[in-house]
Amino acid sequence: MAKSQEMELQAIISKSPLLQTVLDRWDQIVLPDARLVAGAIAQTVWNHALGFAHDHGINDIDIVYFDGNDRSESAEADHAARIRDLFSDLPVWIDVKNQARVHIWYEDKFGYSIKPYTSTDEAITTFPTTATAVGIRPLDNRLALCAPYGLADLLAPVVRVNKKQVTREIYEKKIARWRQLWPDLEIIPWDR
């Protein structure tokens, strides 16, 4: 991954009041192996690239963590409530998920089972597109980045399916929404 791409992503994120607020308060999140991930990052980049307001189309901000020692639903709910309270001044939903317990509920939600993840970074490798398979957290005045498929698609902006775990139905549902909100996105069809 090119250092210039990392710097470009950091510059775009630093201009987003939503994401920068989350990063500025990161020390208060206090969750193991935590990262700000996925849609809010990609959508912030798309808004920048396509000339929309910084928060256009952003419904939620995803914060994921990995705690294999406490995979209880109640612990996850307690962390989510605490973090939502921390960011109650933001106009979006804050979604907090323990990646150590995703396999417990995944089949009920999506209709097929998955193997347990071993870390947050492993979970990111399964996110539905290459552009949304990104996780960040602040570290020493820079962003520690997990982008297993690089940043080229994200910054282009191009949407390409990551078939590691997602189904065609899930991908097509996501891109239908994205096409309406960001009509100039380059979206690569499932079969290509």
Side-chain angles (χ1 to χ4, degrees):
M1 195 167 351
K3 196 69 167 167
S4 62
Q5 289 178 330
E6 290 182 39
M7 291 173 62
E8 182 180 355
L9 177 62
Q10 186 160 336
I12 293 167
I13 288 171
S14 72
K15 295 174 188 165
S16 165
L18 285 176
L19 299 188
Q20 197 55 54
T21 297
V22 173
L23 294 172
D24 287 346
R25 298 179 197 165
W26 195 259
D27 288 345
Q28 297 172 60
I29 289 173
V30 193
L31 290 173
D33 198 20
R35 289 194 185 267
L36 168 63
V37 296
I41 297 170
Q43 294 160 9
T44 296
V45 171
W46 300 342
N47 288 337
H48 174 82
L50 301 172
F52 290 102
H54 72 88
D55 59 350
H56 171 79
I58 299 175
N59 293 333
D60 63 11
I61 292 175
D62 296 303
I63 297 173
V64 298
Y65 67 101
F66 191 91
D67 186 354
N69 294 322
D70 190 348
R71 294 183 299 173
S72 69
E73 186 174 358
S74 62
E76 182 180 84
D78 289 348
H79 289 307
R82 177 180 59 81
I83 292 168
R84 282 188 201 106
D85 188 53
L86 175 63
F87 296 111
S88 62
D89 56 321
L90 296 182
V92 295
W93 178 254
I94 306 296
D95 195 22
V96 178
K97 294 279 189 274
N98 182 358
Q99 299 303 287
R101 65 180 310 278
V102 171
H103 68 283
I104 296 169
W105 53 260
Y106 197 92
E107 185 171 11
D108 286 342
K109 183 169 182 176
F110 294 108
Y112 57 98
S113 64
I114 61 169
K115 293 180 180 177
Y117 299 132
T118 59
S119 68
T120 297
D121 288 357
E122 181 191 11
I124 291 169
T125 70
T126 69
F127 287 6
T129 73
T130 56
T132 59
V134 176
I136 59 174
R137 64 176 159 233
L139 178 68
D140 301 329
N141 296 319
R142 65 177 183 81
L143 293 179
L145 176 69
C146 174
Y149 308 105
L151 296 174
D153 282 352
L154 173 61
L155 296 170
V158 170
V159 175
R160 183 183 324 271
V161 68
N162 171 20
K163 294 181 181 178
K164 188 169 184 177
Q165 183 169 290
V166 73
T167 64
R168 181 182 198 131
E169 179 183 3
I170 293 168
Y171 179 66
E172 290 182 351
K173 183 177 178 183
K174 285 188 174 296
I175 63 174
R177 176 180 180 270
W178 294 344
R179 273 193 179 105
Q180 290 182 338
L181 291 166
W182 297 278
D184 294 330
L185 268 180
E186 181 181 350
I187 297 176
I188 308 299
W190 175 272
D191 294 325
R192 226 171 92 208

